[in-house]
Amino acid sequence: MKLFFMSDIHGSVYYLNKALDKFKEEKADYIIVLGDHLYHGARNPLPKEYNPKQVIEILNSFTDRIIAVRGNCDSEVDEMVLNFPIMATYSNILYNNKRLFLTHGHIYNENNMPKLANGDVFIYGHTHIPKVEKMDNIYIINPGSITLPKKNNPHTYGILERNTFKIKDLEGNTHKEISFG
């Protein structure tokens, strides 16, 4: 199974379409959205081609392929217009005998980690900064932001296939990579 990860869309039709083009090119099975679907948030600039209503239409066309969690900019009203659940603070997926703990990062994060077993994978968004590392036998991954990257990082998404997580820019170049041992 091949999983496509994106975070922090923040209502940008432009960057969502670029990311979904990569999803199709990658021939991934599912899209994991790590929160902040529709709105840019008070601390962020207005993103390119900001149009939450159109983002709703686009995301709803992929309803059967999306697993999502709530970001700090997401609300109950958003779940009323999206055809898939987004209000869970976290989700778990089992992948090749590993638990993938999926969250946005504003509640669970590196300073407030959930209880995970050795070799489990903690995947979050929120910071808009790509990251891959192994700490205390837990893999910690942030695919970055497709729309509003920070600290001079590119616009990025993640791909998990064959126990390797790659963070790629929207041109498809690998930015960071980690393999699960």
Side-chain angles (χ1 to χ4, degrees):
M1 182 177 345
K2 190 173 190 179
L3 302 176
F4 182 95
F5 292 78
M6 67 175 152
S7 189
D8 299 281
I9 302 164
H10 289 293
S12 173
V13 172
Y14 178 82
Y15 288 109
L16 176 59
N17 281 331
K18 287 184 81 75
L20 290 173
D21 286 346
K22 289 300 170 190
F23 167 73
K24 293 170 192 169
E25 283 178 33
E26 295 276 3
K27 296 184 171 96
D29 298 295
Y30 287 93
I31 301 167
I32 313 298
V33 183
L34 298 170
D36 287 356
H37 299 72
L38 303 178
Y39 300 110
H40 70 290
R43 295 180 295 187
N44 296 314
L46 208 58
K48 187 173 185 173
E49 292 184 27
Y50 180 69
N51 188 335
K53 284 188 175 185
Q54 193 172 358
V55 168
I56 292 165
E57 289 178 31
I58 295 166
L59 287 174
N60 281 343
S61 70
F62 288 88
T63 295
D64 62 334
R65 309 285 288 285
I66 292 178
I67 298 167
V69 295
R70 176 178 63 93
N72 59 306
C73 294
D74 296 323
S75 72
E76 289 179 29
V77 172
D78 301 338
E79 192 171 65
M80 290 177 186
V81 295
L82 292 167
N83 293 334
F84 52 92
I86 66 164
M87 291 309 294
T89 301
Y90 64 89
S91 186
N92 288 286
I93 297 174
L94 295 177
Y95 180 88
N96 289 346
N97 297 318
K98 294 192 179 305
R99 173 174 40 175
L100 307 182
F101 185 94
L102 312 172
T103 193
H104 181 62
H106 64 296
I107 295 173
Y108 293 105
N109 52 56
E110 291 178 65
N111 297 317
N112 185 32
M113 292 285 287
K115 299 292 181 204
L116 298 172
N118 284 337
D120 282 348
V121 185
F122 179 78
I123 306 174
Y124 70 106
H126 187 56
T127 65
H128 301 216
I129 300 168
K131 179 178 198 166
V132 294
E133 72 176 37
K134 187 175 181 184
M135 184 173 70
D136 298 327
N137 213 23
I138 302 293
Y139 297 92
I140 299 173
I141 297 172
N142 187 323
S145 172
I146 65 165
T147 299
L148 298 167
K150 294 185 178 174
K151 292 193 177 181
N152 296 315
N153 282 289
H155 302 263
T156 52
Y157 65 94
I159 289 291
L160 176 57
E161 182 180 35
R162 294 187 202 106
N163 280 345
T164 298
F165 196 104
K166 293 181 180 181
I167 297 175
K168 296 183 174 185
D169 63 27
L170 290 177
E171 285 72 50
N173 304 306
T174 299
H175 184 65
K176 293 178 183 279
E177 179 176 333
I178 193 166
S179 292
F180 307 146

